[in-house]
């Protein structure tokens, strides 16, 4: 595997390196489900590495780089299985983009996947509180004073989306029993808007902070991952996150008895993900032991 460091066990493989290089080392049709948050083009810069997909000068540069990843995802995904990406419309700014407005990053991502033959499969809106966003960003469109002074510039808060695309073809189906997946749960998950995702339902991230190049990380809410893994994988399937961060996708996949493969470019996040994956494996083993007792 072409990477800087790796931790490989029978349950998971975590690679410190560029996700495109890591995916090139994975066999064809070996992944049952992939779920991740891409580094949002120019929103946060996670590291100074030119391989960091968040460290780009323009959206076009981001998509040029991201395209190599989609090509590899298309190759490693099992036919008929899903890839979910977590994203949002991106506010544009006067300084960076010339105008204040929104950019359709989710649509651009989706079209990039479609160009590689993936099928648009599902999209769920994840509600986010506009008051929290206003406090954090001070965006003109969300400030109450804009209502009084220039209401034409006001806008709604920006939700998150989990968009899912499907690799064409068919392989073994994902199945559930009515007991493990009752109608009430299905109705909750099938809702086109998830109002019930707690924004702080994430793995701890404080210890991953480094001083010189660190700005921010958005760990994915564990319940979002749980719903994707529950719907679209069988126990034992390999779940992949090309942008593993601190290991949230892997943590949930392992907890739920799936296997996991992940790549992360930034050493401090990689190190933390390795700790989180080991903790999840231990928890899962303890759970199985308790069941058997
Ligand atoms: C939005 S964060 C993912 C957070 C993750 N879902 C979690 O819950 O921890 C995106 C991550 O992609 C990583 N990254 C950026 N470019 C990369 C690349 N080329 N290969 C692997 N990881 C990369 C960044 O360092 C960052 O940790």
């Amino acid at each position: 595997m072409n990477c800087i460091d790796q931790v490989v066990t029978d349950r998971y493989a975590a690679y410190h390196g560029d996700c495109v290089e890591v995916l090139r080392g994975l066999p064809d049709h070996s992944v049952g489900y992939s779920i991740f948050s891409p580094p949002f083009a120019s929103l946060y810069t996670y590291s100074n590495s030119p391989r960091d997909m968040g460290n780009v000068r323009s959206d076009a540069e981001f998509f040029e780089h991201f395209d190599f990843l989609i090509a590899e995802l298309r190759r490693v995904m099992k036919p008929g299985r899903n890839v979910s990406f977590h994203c949002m419309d991106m506010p544009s700014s006067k300084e960076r983009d010339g105008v204040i407005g929104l950019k359709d990053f989710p649509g651009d991502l989706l079209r990039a996947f479609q160009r590689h033959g993936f099928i648009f499969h599902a999209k769920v809106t994840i509600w986010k509180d506009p008051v929290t966003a206003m406090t954090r960003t001070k965006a003109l469109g969300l400030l109450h004073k804009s209502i009084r002074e220039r209401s034409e510039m006001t806008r709604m808060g920006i939700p998150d989306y989990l968009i899912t695309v499907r690799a064409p073809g068919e392989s073994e189906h994902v199945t559930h029993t009515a007991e493990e997946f009752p109608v009430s749960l299905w109705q909750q998950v099938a809702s086109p808007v998830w109002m019930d995702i707690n924004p702080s339902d994430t793995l701890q991230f404080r210890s991953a902070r480094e001083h010189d190049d660190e700005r921010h990380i958005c760990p994915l809410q564990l319940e979002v991952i749980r719903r994707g893994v529950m719907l679209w994988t069988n126990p034992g399937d390999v779940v992949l996150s090309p942008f593993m961060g601190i290991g949230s996708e892997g943590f949930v996949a392992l907890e739920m008895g799936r296997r996991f493969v992940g790549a992360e470019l930034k050493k401090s996040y990689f190190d933390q993900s390795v700790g989180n994956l080991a903790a999840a494996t231990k928890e899962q083993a303890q759970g199985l032991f308790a069941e058997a007792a």
Side-chain angles (χ1 to χ4, degrees):
M1 185 61 75
N2 188 0
C3 61
I4 304 160
D5 193 7
Q6 63 186 61
V7 175
V8 179
T9 75
D10 59 340
R11 307 288 313 151
Y12 60 86
Y15 298 103
H16 176 205
D18 179 4
C19 57
V20 177
E21 301 286 346
V22 167
L23 263 72
R24 282 191 181 136
L26 301 182
D28 292 0
H29 309 319
S30 55
V31 174
Y33 179 52
S34 181
I35 179 166
F36 58 89
S37 303
F40 298 162
S42 66
L43 182 63
Y44 307 120
T45 305
Y46 292 97
S47 68
N48 297 324
S49 166
R51 287 167 176 271
D52 186 330
M53 290 201 206
N55 189 13
V56 286
R57 275 163 306 190
S58 66
D59 297 350
E61 200 179 290
F62 171 84
F63 279 102
E64 204 180 307
H65 197 162
F66 196 72
D67 216 51
F68 289 100
L69 172 65
I70 304 179
E72 289 306 315
L73 276 170
R74 179 67 207 281
R75 185 183 61 74
V76 300
M77 287 307 300
K78 287 186 174 179
R81 292 300 194 85
N82 299 329
V83 175
S84 298
F85 48 92
H86 178 254
C87 54
M88 60 185 269
D89 295 324
M90 304 297 288
S92 67
S93 73
K94 223 173 192 151
E95 305 80 64
R96 210 178 40 224
D97 310 281
V99 285
I100 294 179
L102 293 177
K103 292 190 279 186
D104 183 13
F105 184 53
D108 289 340
L109 285 168
L110 175 58
R111 283 181 285 276
F113 274 94
Q114 286 176 314
R115 279 196 291 278
H116 283 267
F118 280 96
I119 299 154
F120 185 14
H121 180 75
K123 179 176 181 178
V124 61
T125 302
I126 301 170
W127 184 84
K128 279 202 312 211
D129 186 354
V131 178
T132 310
M134 179 274 295
T135 314
R136 193 168 50 81
T137 64
K138 301 282 181 287
L140 178 73
L142 291 176
L143 291 175
H144 183 250
K145 79 168 189 192
S146 300
I147 293 279
R148 284 178 278 127
E149 294 167 9
R150 44 192 310 199
S151 198
E152 76 284 1
M153 288 303 283
T154 55
R155 62 162 171 79
M156 294 76 209
I158 305 174
D160 286 337
Y161 298 106
L162 188 73
I163 299 183
T164 300
V165 292
R166 197 175 72 243
E170 237 183 74
S171 46
E172 86 272 23
H173 297 302
V174 177
T175 58
H176 299 100
T177 61
E179 289 72 39
E180 66 176 19
F181 211 131
V183 173
S184 54
L185 180 59
W186 170 228
Q187 286 173 348
Q188 185 188 14
V189 175
S191 168
V193 184
W194 289 349
M195 300 292 296
D196 54 352
I197 300 299
N198 175 354
S200 7
D201 175 26
T202 60
L203 287 180
Q204 288 300 317
F205 62 96
R206 261 163 293 158
S207 57
R209 296 209 160 183
E210 280 179 2
H211 1 274
D212 54 346
D213 57 8
E214 186 70 12
R215 281 219 228 132
H216 199 63
I217 186 173
C218 302
L220 187 48
Q221 288 86 18
L222 301 177
E223 182 59 18
V224 172
I225 306 167
R226 215 169 275 132
R227 290 180 186 183
V229 171
M230 180 170 69
L231 273 178
W232 291 318
T233 65
N234 286 318
D237 268 347
V238 171
V239 174
L240 163 73
S241 174
F243 304 106
M244 170 169 70
I246 58 171
S248 314
E249 294 89 3
F251 184 86
V252 171
L254 293 171
E255 242 188 8
M256 294 175 71
R258 277 64 176 170
R259 290 173 294 155
F260 177 70
V261 179
E264 171 55 45
L265 197 59
K266 192 174 164 70
K267 181 171 166 33
S268 56
Y269 294 158
F270 169 77
D271 289 343
Q272 202 177 339
S273 71
V274 167
N276 285 327
L277 297 178
T281 318
K282 208 164 141 197
E283 265 177 41
Q284 213 248 344
Q286 278 167 350
L288 289 177
F289 187 68
E291 263 171 40

